[in-house]
Amino acid sequence: AQTVTQSQPEMSVQEAETVTLSCTYDTSENNYYLFWYKQPPSRQMILVIRQEAYKQQNATENRFSVNFQKAAKSFSLKISDSQLGDTAMYFCAFIPYAGNMLTFGGGTRLMVKP
Amino acid sequence: EAGVAQSPRYKIIEKRQSVAFWCNPISGHATLYWYQQILGQGPKLLIQFQNNGVVDDSQLPKDRFSAERLKGVDSTLKIQPAKLEDSAVYLCASSVNRVGEQFFGPGTRLTVL
């Protein structure tokens, strides 16, 4: 079974600053996908960024980038130039390439302060 | 493109009553998921459909929860009878395939009194 751990229940950052959210996972699989999802207070979950485990290059989407350390089983999310609209719950998630179940971490509540 | 639709948005029932939730996925998405999200936690997968077949229901409490996707399009999730611990947000999601990006609906917030 896979587990995903987010060790920071809550974080805050000043607008325009950079913040990094942590995620670690445990698996015996070699091929898998990792995701960061954002859930704003309105509750609808949206995908922020996705990483394939076989790719060594870290994924980047505009102000969002990841630091994927496969050996350490670590997958952190960096948000640059934080904006008020980034305030949300952020969930790290894992799915084996040959599996079915997307496993979520417990989430990190991020507050961007003006 | 229309997103994943869910209804109702909110539901309050008493314990031992029955409740049903409805989900209409994005057109063309073969895979449909139901998640339970208890306050302060990440979503937990209850059941996954591929077209109208069940792929994974290992975490579905089958003594009280049931789900169907008869025509491979929309889906219903039912709880009968409800317990206090079923209070949660029930999220529906769909994807083109098993490992594709999952698109989530707005969820149904269930309160069991």
Side-chain angles (χ1 to χ4, degrees):
Chain A
Q2 289 80 30
T3 58
V4 179
T5 303
Q6 293 178 248
S7 59
Q8 306 151 315
E10 292 187 1
M11 293 193 72
S12 63
V13 63
Q14 291 296 131
E15 194 175 10
E17 297 293 308
T18 295
V19 63
T20 299
L21 309 184
S22 301
C23 172
T24 58
Y25 56 94
D26 186 26
T27 183
S28 58
E29 302 282 342
N30 190 49
N31 295 317
Y32 47 85
Y33 298 91
L34 292 160
F35 306 85
W36 277 99
Y37 277 87
K38 171 184 177 182
Q39 189 176 43
S42 65
R43 203 166 63 231
Q44 196 142 1
M45 194 99 73
I46 56 174
L47 179 67
V48 173
I49 199 163
R50 163 185 168 138
Q51 174 81 41
E52 291 88 347
Y54 65 85
K55 289 186 178 179
Q56 293 186 339
Q57 186 172 7
N58 289 323
T60 299
E61 286 288 339
N62 300 315
R63 297 183 296 107
F64 299 88
S65 62
V66 298
N67 183 4
F68 173 49
Q69 302 289 328
K70 191 173 183 180
K73 296 180 181 175
S74 170
F75 182 61
S76 61
L77 174 70
K78 185 171 83 171
I79 306 174
S80 304
D81 186 25
S82 297
Q83 301 176 0
L84 297 179
D86 295 334
T87 292
M89 285 288 293
Y90 287 82
F91 293 97
C92 178
F94 168 101
I95 187 169
Y97 182 77
N100 298 308
M101 186 182 300
L102 186 64
T103 301
F104 285 86
T108 296
R109 183 179 304 278
L110 176 68
M111 172 75 72
V112 180
K113 298 179 178 179
Chain B
E1 175 180 271
V4 176
Q6 289 188 248
S7 66
R9 292 294 309 275
Y10 304 90
K11 190 72 177 180
I12 301 174
I13 61 172
E14 295 187 350
K15 60 183 179 183
R16 292 188 289 275
Q17 286 187 322
S18 301
V19 64
F21 312 128
W22 174 82
C23 172
N24 192 30
I26 292 173
S27 178
H29 282 194
T31 313
L32 185 147
Y33 313 79
W34 283 102
Y35 290 90
Q36 180 192 58
Q37 186 177 19
I38 293 173
L39 185 65
Q41 298 181 18
K44 182 185 81 171
L45 181 69
L46 292 175
I47 189 166
Q48 177 182 342
F49 292 94
Q50 182 74 18
N51 296 310
N52 61 349
V54 175
V55 174
D56 190 325
D57 63 356
S58 58
Q59 300 194 105
L60 187 74
K62 298 180 186 65
D63 58 333
R64 298 184 301 105
F65 286 65
S66 64
E68 60 183 15
R69 193 185 184 199
L70 294 176
K71 297 182 180 179
V73 181
D74 56 348
S75 175
T76 55
L77 176 70
K78 297 179 182 178
I79 307 175
Q80 180 179 12
K83 292 185 175 181
L84 297 177
E85 58 261 36
D86 298 332
S87 294
V89 174
Y90 291 84
L91 297 169
C92 179
S94 70
S95 62
V96 172
N97 55 44
R98 185 175 48 76
V99 291
E101 175 184 352
Q102 294 188 24
F103 293 84
F104 286 80
T108 297
R109 180 179 296 278
L110 173 67
T111 302
V112 182
L113 303 175

